[in-house]
Structure formats: structure tokens, C-alpha cells
Amino acid sequence: MADDETRVGVVYHDAVSDEQQAAMNWLRTQPMDTRVLSFTELQSGTADVDALWWHRDAPFEGREVRAATVEAFESFLADGGGLLLTLRALSAVERLGIDPVAPDVTGVESVTEPTGVLWRPIYDDHTAVSAFDSVRIPVCDRGAVPIARYERVVPSRGEVLASAIRGERDVPHEMTVVSWNRGSGVVGVGAPVAFDEPADPTVATARSDLVAGCLSAVVGGDQPHRPKSASSLAALREALADDPTRPRYHFTPPANWLNDPNGLICWNGQYHVFYQYNPAGPFHNAIHWGHTVSDDLLHWRDEPVALAPSPGGPDRDGCWSGCAVDDDGTPTILYTGGNGRWQLPCVATSPDPKLRRWEKDPGNPVIEEPPSELELLSSEHWEVEFRDHAVWREGDTWYQIIGSGVVDRGGTALLYASSDLREWEYLGPLLVGSDGHGAVWECPELLELGDRSLLHVSNYEDVVYFLGRLREGTFEAEHQGVLDHGDFYAPQSLRDDDRYLTWGWLPETRGPSAQWDAGWSGVLSLPRVLSLGDDGRLRQRPAAEVDQLRRRRLSTAVPDTIGGDRHTLGVGGRTLEVALDVSLADASAFELSVFESADREERTAIRYTRESQVVVDRSASSRDGIGATDSQRMPVTPYDEPLSLRAFLDESVLELYANGRHCLTSRVYPSPESAGISVATEGGRASLRSFDVWALEAAITPGPRPSSRAGEEPQ
Ligand code: DQQ
């Protein structure tokens, strides 16, 4: 901690600006021993201080920092000194050899509202914020202020500690504070901590407390650095273990952001799931590939991040979705590299039997531009919408489809062929969607299900599937449907002997601020087996292994016939499977209510209606109004009564399977104590042919969980 013994050297190049003078004046009011050092003095090696503070408002060109100055900073850090870089000095991290990735946004911002840092809750015990009891800290409320921050890229060695707030808004993708574990600590603050600007007294105090906290932090040592090893990721997971909204047997990221499942492969007898991951917080940005591995599809171990954007590479801005294949013994992935306004296919291979290390192909991107034969859609962000890969092999030929959209027509999956996964020939669109199928298709995937093929595509709203046949490079659809009628997106499948296992991304329905406060975002579905029924229609069931999660069957004493009064079960829980077979008899609807509070004010109702629909009513799912409140509908035709329903409850997930055909997944955020279950009918009686409730194992959570949360017997 800094105290009046702490010696801080304020460094400057050439001349001291008004802003730098104001910062020095402020520092002299602090209980620290202040010295002022020019770069020349710094180079002379006479800086007898604990920390250096470089506060720079002028644009940073890099040229002004000569090799001798870089050496002086390096040896100061090597000797155990600390370093604080504020305003545009954050841009110097690349030149100073602290991080190969510099902030991508610098300039002068006109501030008109309280603006500042949005601290990551996982680091709320960091010395820099010891004076605050909120993670939202305004540090400037007016003026034209120099800034530097990361937006489309993230530092490669540093850990992002904070993003931004603007007025009442959280702005997660503006990353303003970063730490590096060099010397006794390096912290960079690109937020508008300008001392020469007037500010409301509370804002000025916050600015002062934050900068003083950062100076204390850099002399204190041991800065957070990016958790990269399996054990540091497990520690992150542990730190979030008490969150009552965190699923216990559905896979979630250790912390931060997860979206699409990627690169699914069974390798050396283990299931590998990669996933879109942002290490900088629970928001979608600068996407990496997270990695987890399992022997049994139920228990998952966190592995180090598998793919990160390469500074200056074709995936500089992100490693977007892709798949994995076995190229005659070489695990190979195809993924989308993001660079500026372009997204292009890239290849990587792994020499590592555990698939931890991946080597990017020097020939990336392996397709240099989208096909010119079609007029493909562009967007605000992309020159052409052209991303995501599904690859399969027929004989000696590899095929892949890439998602896109054709102007004035609809989403499409573009078909390519290759003999080596590197040189690709464009063959044409496999299928172009029509009205109602969406303008852009993401994450297309083609699966062979017996004598039919299944093509599914994610169209920003739904995952639409087509069942049909592939003939000479085009897809002839016979049936179509929606893979899951709820919060389920961008699924991908793994061929496991004679079955396909499919996982989808279950996005949050709570807002970005709630996700920020939680510190994590995104869940994967249970592994589903997709197959073709005798009637030529799709079947979807949880993988048989999921039954192994059943720990205890809870005694429910539910009558066979329900009618009139609501029946509240004497058991409940939040990590449960409820399996039932019900026919409506003369009722117009049967209702299963879960995540129910004792006063029934909070509940999520699953209604099976005579119109052959299962409706999930979320209007009362959260007393606090967190998350979506709409109703989701799943048609359950064709069907024969009874309705056979499996409902998987997992804290903030409700995953429904109806008649082994239809799925609806819901993200809801009940209060921790809402764990009750009841059944009721409307307009008559329904007969329950079976009704079972199992407490399921908290397979993902590190450490034991109190049994009362897994499932409760009557008191
Ligand atoms: N998510 C990825 C894209 C894909 C989208 C980016 C679908 O590759 O199109 O994280 O959720």
C-alpha cells in the first residue's frame, strides 16, 4: 500500500503539459513522496522511487520513446518497480514491451455526463478500488479529455480490470483499465482521469481515489494477470460458485462470456468442447476459443484457452465459430478469423494429444475472399456476411459449408470442396432460404441421419432445420421445423460412433448490466441426440448419459388424476428433472409450475394445452423482473396423447423435451428460495400416467453443494 514513505516518480517527455502539471499538483496533496523525472533522468538510472507514473494527455506516437527509454522502463520493472500509465500513456504498452497489443481506440472525447470505469466484480477486492463500494465509478463529468482504450481487441498479456460507464449506461466493450503482472505491478488507466478539468466534487473525489488506489496497487505487487492455466480458470469458477443463478449441471464458462459451441470432437477417448469465449468479461467481444473436456459427457474439466486472436494476424479481432475434424490423425479446426471488416476462414492443427495447443496455418486465411458469383449481404460491421464452418468428408474430398446471405433472397450455406482442407473450390449455394428463413444464416451444419440429411441454420432468431436429401451439391428440403422453440442458438454436433450429439448456446435473457454483475454469461444445453424416427421425422432426446445425473428420486405423492385444486408437491429443488406423462381427459390445459415461491408470486408455468402446444409462461418467473417475461410456445404435433415431457431445471435453465421430438429451452431468473413445484388443470381433469422427480447431481460446480439446493424432501 502507498503511504508517505512511498516514492512516486512522475515521468514526462520533453515538456510538462498543463494536464501533467495538474496531475503533479494533485499528487503533491497525497501522502506520497513525489519526484518529477524527465525521460533523460529516467535513462540515467537515478530514479530512486518505488513507482513510476506516466500521465500523458498528448497523442502518443511511439517515436518519442527511444530505445534507451524503453530499456530504462524495462530495467526499472525488472528491479521490482511499479508502473502506472494513465490517459494516452496506456498506448505505450506495446512500445514498452509490456503487451504486444496496444489499445485500438485513442483520441479526445467530449464528456458531458458522469463517465468512468465499470470495474469487474471478480476483482472488486483489488487495491485500486478499495475506496469504493460500487463497481460503477464516474471519474469525469465534463470537458474534452484524452483517452485510450481497448475496443475490438484485448491485451494479450494483460488482464482487463474495468470497462466503462457513461451516465447510467454500462459500456462493457470499452475496456479502460488493464493490469500486467510485471515488476511490482503495471496498471494502465485509459479512462478520462483528467486533473486539469473541473468536476463535481464527488466525481473529483472518485477520480482522486481511483488514481491513488492504482498507485497503491502498483507498489503493492501481484497484479491480476490473465487466468490462462486450467487451475486459474478453475479458481475463477470457484469464485462464482455461490451464484444462485449459475447452472450446476449445464456447462457454463468458468467466468466471463460464452456463446457458440465450437470444434466438437472426440479425441483419444475424450469429448472436447470448445466454445466462443471472451476473457475480458461477460460480453461478446474479441472472441477466443475456450476449451473443456469430459470422459462421460456429464463432468467437465476446464482447459486452458485454446485459441486467441494473433496480433496482426488474419484473426486479429477474433477467432469466431468453427468446427474440428480428424484429418487422418491430425486434429484440425476451421474457424472464422476476424480482421477489420473481413471475416475469412482459417485453419489450425494440434500436435498435442490433449488438444491444448493449436498451431495456426501460415497460409491463413485459407479462402481469401467470399465468392463473387453471388451478391452476398454486407452489414454495418462486415464487408460481407461470411462466416462459420461445418466440414465433412466423402471419400477423398472434404466439403464445407459457410454461412452467408444473398441480397434480396435470404440466408444461405455456401458449399466448398477441397482435397487438403487448405485449397478450397467454391461449388455454389447448398440452399438459399426463402421468406421466413432469415436474411443471414449463421453456423450452418449438415448431418447425415440415415437416408435423410438434416441442415440446420441459425438466423439470428431461431435455429431452423430442413430435412431432405443432398443431390449434386444442392439440398432438397422435404420438411422443415425449428430445432428448439426457446433460448437456444448456434448449435453444433459431434459424431460419436453411430449417434450425433448436439449442444446449443443458451443465451442470457437478463440485460448486460445484470450479466456484468454476475461476472459470467451463457450456458450450453445438455448434449442432445438427434436422429430420424420411423416416420422420417426428427427425434431429439437428451443423451442417455444424462440419466446418470439422477441422484435421488423424490417422493411426490401426486394423484393420478388432477382436477380442481392445485396440488403442491411436498418436494422441490432447483437442480431437478421432472418427467411426466399426461393426457388431458376433459381438461383444457394441464400446468406444471416450477421455480415456485411459497406464496406462488414467483413461478414459471409450463402449460400443455388442448391446442397441442406447450407454453412456457415467464410473466412471473422473476419477482424482480429480471430476464424475459414473454411466453414461449412449442407445438407438440404430430403427437399421440399422452404428452411425454422431460423438464430439466437448473437454477436459471429450464430445458424441455416433449415426446422425444420437440425442445424448448428457457432462461429464467427466480429468487434463490423459489424451488417449489405444483400441478393443476384448467377446465376439467387430466390424468397423470407417470410423474417422477429426481434430484440431479451438481456435476459442474467445483466442490460439494449443500444437499438442500439439489432437492428437498418434505420437512
Ligand atoms: N457467433 C459467432 C459467429 C457466429 C455467431 C461469433 C453465432 O461466428 O456467426 O461469436 O452466434
Side-chain angles (χ1 to χ4, degrees), residues 331-397:
T332 303
I333 56 180
L334 260 101
Y335 66 99
T336 300
N339 188 343
R341 291 186 52 75
W342 290 99
Q343 298 183 298
L344 293 169
C346 295
V347 165
T349 54
S350 179
D352 175 358
K354 295 194 176 301
L355 307 190
R356 289 186 176 142
R357 256 178 329 110
W358 290 87
E359 292 167 359
K360 296 179 185 173
D361 197 285
N364 285 339
V366 292
I367 296 175
E368 283 179 2
E369 54 186 9
S372 52
E373 287 86 339
L374 288 170
E375 200 188 342
L376 299 177
L377 275 179
S378 56
S379 70
E380 185 196 343
H381 299 295
W382 309 117
E383 210 61 52
V384 177
E385 301 273 2
F386 184 63
R387 61 180 171 274
D388 310 333
H389 313 267
V391 178
W392 70 98
R393 192 181 212 170
E394 289 175 28
D396 288 336
T397 307

Coordinates of all heavy atoms in Angstrom, one line a residue, residues 331-397:
P331 N -5.7 -33.6 -35.6 CA -6.8 -32.8 -35.3 C -6.7 -31.4 -35.9 O -5.7 -30.7 -35.8 CB -6.8 -32.7 -33.7 CG -5.5 -33.2 -33.3 CD -4.8 -33.9 -34.5
T332 N -7.8 -31.0 -36.7 CA -7.7 -29.8 -37.5 C -9.0 -29.0 -37.3 O -10.1 -29.6 -37.3 CB -7.5 -30.2 -39.0 OG1 -6.4 -31.0 -39.1 CG2 -7.4 -29.0 -39.9
I333 N -8.8 -27.7 -37.1 CA -10.0 -26.9 -37.0 C -10.1 -25.9 -38.1 O -9.0 -25.4 -38.6 CB -10.1 -26.2 -35.6 CG1 -8.9 -25.3 -35.3 CG2 -10.4 -27.2 -34.5 CD1 -9.0 -24.6 -33.9
L334 N -11.3 -25.6 -38.5 CA -11.5 -24.5 -39.4 C -12.4 -23.5 -38.6 O -13.4 -23.9 -38.0 CB -12.3 -24.9 -40.6 CG -11.5 -25.2 -41.8 CD1 -11.2 -26.6 -42.0 CD2 -12.1 -24.6 -43.0
Y335 N -11.9 -22.2 -38.6 CA -12.7 -21.2 -37.9 C -12.7 -19.9 -38.6 O -11.9 -19.8 -39.6 CB -12.1 -21.0 -36.4 CG -10.7 -20.5 -36.4 CD1 -10.5 -19.1 -36.2 CD2 -9.6 -21.3 -36.7 CE1 -9.2 -18.6 -36.2 CE2 -8.3 -20.7 -36.7 CZ -8.1 -19.4 -36.4 OH -6.9 -18.8 -36.4
T336 N -13.4 -19.0 -38.2 CA -13.5 -17.7 -38.9 C -12.6 -16.7 -38.2 O -12.8 -16.5 -37.0 CB -15.0 -17.2 -38.9 OG1 -15.8 -18.2 -39.6 CG2 -15.1 -15.9 -39.7
G337 N -11.7 -16.2 -39.0 CA -10.8 -15.1 -38.4 C -11.4 -13.8 -38.8 O -11.8 -13.5 -39.9
G338 N -11.4 -12.9 -37.8 CA -11.9 -11.5 -38.0 C -10.8 -10.5 -38.1 O -9.9 -10.6 -37.2
N339 N -10.9 -9.7 -39.1 CA -9.8 -8.7 -39.2 C -10.5 -7.5 -39.9 O -10.8 -7.5 -41.1 CB -8.7 -9.3 -40.1 CG -7.5 -8.3 -40.2 OD1 -7.6 -7.2 -39.8 ND2 -6.4 -8.9 -40.6
G340 N -10.6 -6.4 -39.1 CA -11.3 -5.2 -39.7 C -12.7 -5.6 -40.2 O -13.5 -6.2 -39.4
R341 N -13.0 -5.3 -41.4 CA -14.3 -5.5 -41.9 C -14.4 -6.9 -42.6 O -15.4 -7.2 -43.3 CB -14.7 -4.4 -42.9 CG -14.9 -3.1 -42.2 CD -15.5 -2.0 -43.1 NE -16.7 -2.4 -43.9 CZ -17.9 -2.5 -43.4 NH1 -18.1 -2.2 -42.1 NH2 -18.9 -2.8 -44.2
W342 N -13.4 -7.7 -42.4 CA -13.4 -9.0 -43.1 C -13.4 -10.2 -42.1 O -12.8 -10.1 -41.1 CB -12.1 -9.2 -44.0 CG -12.3 -8.2 -45.2 CD1 -11.7 -7.0 -45.3 CD2 -13.0 -8.5 -46.3 NE1 -12.0 -6.5 -46.5 CE2 -12.9 -7.3 -47.2 CE3 -13.9 -9.5 -46.8 CZ2 -13.5 -7.2 -48.4 CZ3 -14.5 -9.4 -48.0 CH2 -14.3 -8.2 -48.8
Q343 N -14.2 -11.2 -42.6 CA -14.2 -12.5 -41.8 C -13.8 -13.5 -42.8 O -14.5 -13.7 -43.8 CB -15.6 -12.8 -41.3 CG -16.1 -11.7 -40.4 CD -17.5 -12.1 -39.9 OE1 -18.4 -12.3 -40.6 NE2 -17.6 -12.4 -38.6
L344 N -12.7 -14.3 -42.6 CA -12.3 -15.2 -43.6 C -11.9 -16.5 -42.9 O -11.4 -16.5 -41.7 CB -11.1 -14.7 -44.4 CG -11.5 -13.5 -45.3 CD1 -10.3 -12.8 -45.9 CD2 -12.5 -14.0 -46.4
P345 N -12.0 -17.7 -43.6 CA -11.7 -19.0 -43.0 C -10.2 -19.2 -42.7 O -9.4 -18.9 -43.5 CB -12.2 -20.0 -44.0 CG -13.0 -19.2 -45.0 CD -12.5 -17.8 -44.9
C346 N -9.9 -19.7 -41.5 CA -8.6 -20.0 -41.1 C -8.5 -21.5 -40.6 O -9.5 -22.0 -40.2 CB -8.2 -19.1 -39.9 SG -8.1 -17.4 -40.3
V347 N -7.3 -22.0 -40.7 CA -7.1 -23.4 -40.3 C -6.1 -23.4 -39.1 O -5.1 -22.6 -39.1 CB -6.6 -24.2 -41.5 CG1 -6.0 -25.6 -41.0 CG2 -7.7 -24.5 -42.5
A348 N -6.3 -24.4 -38.2 CA -5.2 -24.6 -37.2 C -5.2 -26.1 -36.9 O -6.2 -26.8 -37.1 CB -5.5 -23.8 -35.9
T349 N -4.0 -26.6 -36.5 CA -3.9 -28.0 -36.2 C -3.3 -28.2 -34.8 O -2.6 -27.2 -34.3 CB -3.0 -28.8 -37.2 OG1 -1.7 -28.0 -37.3 CG2 -3.6 -28.8 -38.6
S350 N -3.5 -29.3 -34.2 CA -2.9 -29.5 -32.9 C -2.0 -30.7 -32.9 O -2.3 -31.8 -33.2 CB -4.0 -29.7 -31.9 OG -3.4 -29.9 -30.6
P351 N -0.7 -30.4 -32.4 CA 0.2 -31.5 -32.2 C 0.1 -32.2 -30.9 O 0.8 -33.1 -30.5 CB 1.6 -30.8 -32.3 CG 1.3 -29.4 -31.8 CD -0.2 -29.1 -32.0
D352 N -0.9 -31.8 -30.1 CA -1.0 -32.1 -28.7 C -2.1 -33.1 -28.5 O -3.3 -32.8 -28.8 CB -1.3 -30.8 -28.0 CG -1.5 -30.9 -26.5 OD1 -1.5 -32.1 -26.0 OD2 -1.8 -29.9 -25.8
P353 N -1.8 -34.3 -27.9 CA -2.9 -35.3 -27.7 C -4.0 -34.8 -26.9 O -5.1 -35.3 -26.9 CB -2.2 -36.5 -27.1 CG -0.8 -36.0 -26.7 CD -0.5 -34.7 -27.5
K354 N -3.7 -33.8 -26.1 CA -4.8 -33.2 -25.2 C -5.5 -32.0 -25.8 O -6.4 -31.4 -25.2 CB -4.2 -32.8 -23.8 CG -3.7 -34.0 -23.1 CD -3.5 -33.6 -21.6 CE -3.1 -34.8 -20.8 NZ -4.0 -35.9 -20.7
L355 N -5.1 -31.7 -27.0 CA -5.7 -30.6 -27.8 C -5.6 -29.2 -27.1 O -6.5 -28.4 -27.2 CB -7.2 -30.9 -28.2 CG -7.4 -32.2 -28.9 CD1 -8.9 -32.3 -29.4 CD2 -6.5 -32.4 -30.0
R356 N -4.6 -29.1 -26.3 CA -4.4 -27.8 -25.6 C -3.8 -26.8 -26.5 O -4.1 -25.6 -26.4 CB -3.6 -28.0 -24.3 CG -4.4 -28.7 -23.3 CD -3.6 -28.7 -22.0 NE -4.4 -29.4 -21.0 CZ -4.0 -30.2 -20.0 NH1 -2.7 -30.5 -20.0 NH2 -4.8 -30.7 -19.2
R357 N -2.8 -27.2 -27.3 CA -2.0 -26.3 -28.1 C -2.5 -26.4 -29.6 O -2.6 -27.5 -30.1 CB -0.5 -26.7 -28.0 CG 0.3 -25.7 -27.2 CD 1.7 -26.1 -27.1 NE 2.0 -27.5 -27.1 CZ 2.6 -28.1 -28.1 NH1 3.0 -27.4 -29.2 NH2 2.9 -29.4 -28.1
W358 N -2.6 -25.3 -30.2 CA -3.0 -25.2 -31.6 C -2.1 -24.4 -32.4 O -1.7 -23.3 -31.9 CB -4.5 -24.7 -31.7 CG -5.5 -25.7 -31.2 CD1 -5.9 -25.8 -29.9 CD2 -6.1 -26.7 -31.9 NE1 -6.8 -26.9 -29.8 CE2 -6.9 -27.4 -31.0 CE3 -6.1 -27.2 -33.3 CZ2 -7.7 -28.5 -31.4 CZ3 -6.9 -28.2 -33.6 CH2 -7.7 -28.9 -32.7
E359 N -1.7 -24.8 -33.6 CA -0.8 -24.1 -34.4 C -1.6 -23.6 -35.6 O -2.2 -24.3 -36.4 CB 0.4 -24.9 -34.9 CG 1.2 -25.3 -33.7 CD 2.2 -26.4 -34.0 OE1 2.2 -26.9 -35.1 OE2 3.0 -26.7 -33.1
K360 N -1.6 -22.3 -35.8 CA -2.3 -21.7 -36.9 C -1.6 -21.9 -38.2 O -0.3 -21.7 -38.2 CB -2.6 -20.2 -36.6 CG -3.4 -20.0 -35.4 CD -3.7 -18.6 -35.1 CE -4.5 -18.4 -33.8 NZ -4.6 -17.0 -33.3
D361 N -2.3 -22.1 -39.3 CA -1.7 -22.4 -40.6 C -1.0 -21.1 -41.1 O -1.7 -20.0 -41.1 CB -2.7 -22.9 -41.5 CG -2.1 -23.6 -42.7 OD1 -1.6 -22.8 -43.6 OD2 -2.1 -24.8 -42.8
P362 N 0.2 -21.1 -41.6 CA 0.8 -19.9 -42.1 C 0.1 -19.4 -43.3 O 0.2 -18.2 -43.7 CB 2.3 -20.3 -42.4 CG 2.3 -21.8 -42.3 CD 1.1 -22.3 -41.5
G363 N -0.7 -20.3 -44.0 CA -1.4 -19.8 -45.2 C -2.7 -19.1 -44.9 O -3.5 -18.8 -45.8
N364 N -3.0 -18.9 -43.6 CA -4.3 -18.3 -43.3 C -4.4 -16.9 -43.8 O -3.4 -16.2 -43.8 CB -4.5 -18.3 -41.8 CG -4.9 -19.6 -41.2 OD1 -5.3 -20.5 -41.9 ND2 -4.6 -19.8 -39.9
P365 N -5.6 -16.4 -44.3 CA -6.8 -17.2 -44.4 C -6.8 -18.1 -45.6 O -6.2 -17.8 -46.6 CB -7.9 -16.1 -44.6 CG -7.1 -15.0 -45.3 CD -5.7 -15.0 -44.8
V366 N -7.4 -19.3 -45.4 CA -7.3 -20.3 -46.5 C -8.3 -20.0 -47.6 O -8.2 -20.6 -48.7 CB -7.5 -21.7 -46.0 CG1 -6.3 -22.1 -45.1 CG2 -8.8 -21.9 -45.2
I367 N -9.3 -19.2 -47.4 CA -10.1 -18.6 -48.5 C -9.9 -17.1 -48.5 O -10.2 -16.5 -47.4 CB -11.6 -19.1 -48.4 CG1 -11.7 -20.6 -48.5 CG2 -12.4 -18.4 -49.5 CD1 -13.1 -21.1 -48.3
E368 N -9.5 -16.5 -49.5 CA -9.1 -15.1 -49.4 C -10.2 -14.1 -49.6 O -10.1 -13.0 -49.2 CB -7.9 -14.8 -50.4 CG -6.7 -15.4 -49.8 CD -5.4 -15.2 -50.6 OE1 -5.5 -14.6 -51.7 OE2 -4.4 -15.7 -50.2
E369 N -11.3 -14.6 -50.2 CA -12.4 -13.7 -50.3 C -13.7 -14.5 -50.5 O -13.6 -15.6 -51.0 CB -12.2 -12.7 -51.5 CG -11.9 -13.3 -52.8 CD -11.6 -12.3 -53.9 OE1 -11.5 -11.1 -53.5 OE2 -11.5 -12.7 -55.0
P370 N -14.8 -13.9 -50.2 CA -16.1 -14.7 -50.4 C -16.3 -14.8 -51.9 O -15.7 -14.1 -52.7 CB -17.1 -13.8 -49.8 CG -16.4 -12.8 -49.0 CD -15.0 -12.7 -49.6
P371 N -17.1 -15.8 -52.4 CA -17.4 -15.9 -53.8 C -18.0 -14.7 -54.4 O -18.8 -14.1 -53.8 CB -18.3 -17.1 -53.9 CG -18.9 -17.2 -52.5 CD -17.9 -16.7 -51.5
S372 N -17.6 -14.4 -55.7 CA -18.1 -13.2 -56.3 C -19.3 -13.6 -57.2 O -20.0 -12.7 -57.7 CB -17.0 -12.6 -57.2 OG -16.5 -13.6 -58.0
E373 N -19.6 -14.9 -57.3 CA -20.7 -15.3 -58.2 C -22.1 -14.9 -57.7 O -23.0 -14.8 -58.5 CB -20.7 -16.8 -58.3 CG -19.6 -17.4 -59.1 CD -18.3 -17.7 -58.3 OE1 -18.2 -17.0 -57.2 OE2 -17.5 -18.5 -58.7
L374 N -22.2 -14.6 -56.4 CA -23.5 -14.2 -55.8 C -23.4 -12.9 -55.2 O -22.3 -12.5 -54.7 CB -23.9 -15.2 -54.7 CG -24.3 -16.6 -55.0 CD1 -24.4 -17.5 -53.8 CD2 -25.6 -16.6 -55.7
E375 N -24.5 -12.1 -55.2 CA -24.4 -10.9 -54.5 C -24.7 -11.1 -53.0 O -25.9 -11.3 -52.6 CB -25.5 -9.9 -55.1 CG -25.1 -8.5 -54.7 CD -26.2 -7.5 -55.1 OE1 -27.0 -7.8 -56.0 OE2 -26.2 -6.4 -54.6
L376 N -23.6 -11.2 -52.2 CA -23.8 -11.5 -50.8 C -24.0 -10.3 -49.9 O -23.5 -9.2 -50.3 CB -22.6 -12.3 -50.3 CG -22.3 -13.6 -51.0 CD1 -21.0 -14.3 -50.5 CD2 -23.5 -14.6 -50.9
L377 N -24.7 -10.4 -48.9 CA -25.1 -9.3 -48.0 C -23.8 -8.7 -47.3 O -22.9 -9.5 -46.9 CB -26.0 -9.7 -46.9 CG -27.5 -9.8 -47.2 CD1 -28.2 -10.3 -46.0 CD2 -28.0 -8.4 -47.6
S378 N -23.8 -7.4 -47.2 CA -22.8 -6.8 -46.3 C -23.6 -6.2 -45.1 O -24.8 -6.2 -45.1 CB -22.0 -5.7 -47.1 OG -22.9 -4.8 -47.6
S379 N -22.9 -5.7 -44.1 CA -23.6 -5.1 -43.0 C -22.8 -4.0 -42.4 O -21.7 -3.7 -42.9 CB -23.8 -6.2 -41.9 OG -22.5 -6.5 -41.4
E380 N -23.3 -3.4 -41.4 CA -22.6 -2.3 -40.7 C -21.2 -2.7 -40.4 O -20.2 -1.9 -40.5 CB -23.4 -1.9 -39.5 CG -22.9 -0.7 -38.7 CD -23.5 -0.7 -37.3 OE1 -24.5 -1.4 -37.1 OE2 -23.0 0.0 -36.5
H381 N -21.0 -3.9 -39.9 CA -19.7 -4.3 -39.4 C -18.9 -5.1 -40.5 O -17.6 -5.1 -40.4 CB -19.9 -5.2 -38.2 CG -20.5 -4.5 -37.1 ND1 -19.9 -3.4 -36.4 CD2 -21.7 -4.7 -36.5 CE1 -20.8 -3.0 -35.5 NE2 -21.8 -3.8 -35.5
W382 N -19.5 -5.7 -41.4 CA -18.8 -6.7 -42.3 C -19.0 -6.3 -43.7 O -20.1 -6.0 -44.2 CB -19.3 -8.1 -42.1 CG -19.3 -8.5 -40.7 CD1 -20.3 -8.9 -39.9 CD2 -18.1 -8.6 -39.8 NE1 -20.0 -9.2 -38.6 CE2 -18.6 -9.1 -38.5 CE3 -16.8 -8.4 -40.0 CZ2 -17.7 -9.3 -37.4 CZ3 -15.9 -8.6 -38.9 CH2 -16.4 -9.0 -37.6
E383 N -17.9 -6.4 -44.5 CA -17.9 -6.1 -45.9 C -18.8 -7.2 -46.5 O -19.6 -6.9 -47.4 CB -16.4 -6.3 -46.4 CG -16.1 -5.5 -47.6 CD -16.2 -4.0 -47.4 OE1 -15.6 -3.5 -46.4 OE2 -16.9 -3.4 -48.2
V384 N -18.7 -8.4 -46.1 CA -19.6 -9.5 -46.5 C -19.9 -10.4 -45.3 O -19.0 -10.6 -44.5 CB -18.9 -10.4 -47.6 CG1 -19.9 -11.5 -48.0 CG2 -18.6 -9.5 -48.8
E385 N -21.2 -10.8 -45.1 CA -21.5 -11.7 -44.1 C -21.0 -13.1 -44.6 O -21.6 -13.7 -45.5 CB -23.0 -11.8 -43.9 CG -23.6 -10.4 -43.5 CD -23.6 -10.2 -42.0 OE1 -23.1 -11.0 -41.2 OE2 -24.1 -9.1 -41.6
F386 N -20.0 -13.6 -44.0 CA -19.4 -14.8 -44.5 C -18.6 -15.5 -43.3 O -17.5 -15.1 -43.1 CB -18.4 -14.4 -45.6 CG -17.7 -15.5 -46.4 CD1 -18.4 -16.4 -47.1 CD2 -16.3 -15.6 -46.3 CE1 -17.7 -17.4 -47.8 CE2 -15.6 -16.6 -47.0 CZ -16.4 -17.5 -47.8
R387 N -19.3 -16.4 -42.7 CA -18.6 -17.0 -41.5 C -19.2 -18.3 -41.1 O -20.3 -18.7 -41.5 CB -18.7 -16.0 -40.3 CG -20.1 -15.7 -39.9 CD -20.1 -14.8 -38.7 NE -21.5 -14.3 -38.5 CZ -22.0 -13.3 -39.1 NH1 -21.4 -12.6 -40.0 NH2 -23.3 -13.0 -38.8
D388 N -18.5 -19.0 -40.2 CA -18.8 -20.3 -39.6 C -18.7 -21.5 -40.6 O -19.1 -21.3 -41.7 CB -20.3 -20.2 -39.0 CG -20.5 -19.0 -38.1 OD1 -19.4 -18.5 -37.6 OD2 -21.6 -18.5 -38.0
H389 N -18.3 -22.6 -40.0 CA -17.9 -23.7 -40.9 C -18.4 -25.0 -40.4 O -18.3 -25.3 -39.2 CB -16.3 -23.7 -41.0 CG -15.8 -22.4 -41.2 ND1 -15.5 -21.9 -42.4 CD2 -15.5 -21.4 -40.3 CE1 -15.1 -20.6 -42.3 NE2 -15.1 -20.3 -41.1
A390 N -18.9 -25.8 -41.3 CA -19.2 -27.2 -40.9 C -18.5 -28.0 -42.0 O -18.7 -27.7 -43.2 CB -20.7 -27.5 -40.9
V391 N -17.6 -29.0 -41.6 CA -16.8 -29.7 -42.6 C -17.1 -31.2 -42.5 O -17.3 -31.7 -41.4 CB -15.3 -29.4 -42.3 CG1 -14.4 -30.2 -43.2 CG2 -15.0 -28.0 -42.4
W392 N -17.2 -31.9 -43.6 CA -17.3 -33.3 -43.6 C -16.5 -33.9 -44.8 O -16.1 -33.1 -45.7 CB -18.8 -33.8 -43.7 CG -19.5 -33.5 -45.0 CD1 -19.7 -34.3 -46.0 CD2 -20.1 -32.2 -45.4 NE1 -20.4 -33.7 -47.0 CE2 -20.7 -32.4 -46.7 CE3 -20.2 -31.0 -44.8 CZ2 -21.3 -31.4 -47.3 CZ3 -20.9 -30.0 -45.5 CH2 -21.4 -30.2 -46.7
R393 N -16.4 -35.2 -44.8 CA -15.5 -35.8 -45.8 C -16.4 -36.9 -46.5 O -17.1 -37.7 -45.9 CB -14.3 -36.5 -45.1 CG -13.3 -36.9 -46.1 CD -12.2 -37.6 -45.2 NE -10.9 -37.4 -45.8 CZ -9.7 -37.6 -45.2 NH1 -9.7 -38.1 -44.0 NH2 -8.6 -37.4 -45.9
E394 N -16.2 -36.9 -47.8 CA -16.8 -38.0 -48.6 C -15.7 -38.6 -49.5 O -15.2 -37.8 -50.4 CB -18.0 -37.5 -49.5 CG -19.2 -37.1 -48.7 CD -20.3 -36.5 -49.6 OE1 -20.3 -36.8 -50.8 OE2 -21.0 -35.7 -49.1
G395 N -15.3 -39.8 -49.3 CA -14.1 -40.4 -50.0 C -12.9 -39.5 -49.7 O -12.6 -39.3 -48.5
D396 N -12.2 -39.0 -50.7 CA -11.0 -38.2 -50.5 C -11.3 -36.7 -50.5 O -10.4 -35.9 -50.4 CB -10.0 -38.5 -51.6 CG -9.4 -39.9 -51.5 OD1 -9.4 -40.4 -50.3 OD2 -9.0 -40.5 -52.5
T397 N -12.6 -36.4 -50.6 CA -12.9 -35.0 -50.7 C -13.5 -34.4 -49.4 O -14.4 -35.0 -48.9 CB -13.9 -34.7 -51.9 OG1 -13.3 -35.3 -53.1 CG2 -14.1 -33.3 -52.2

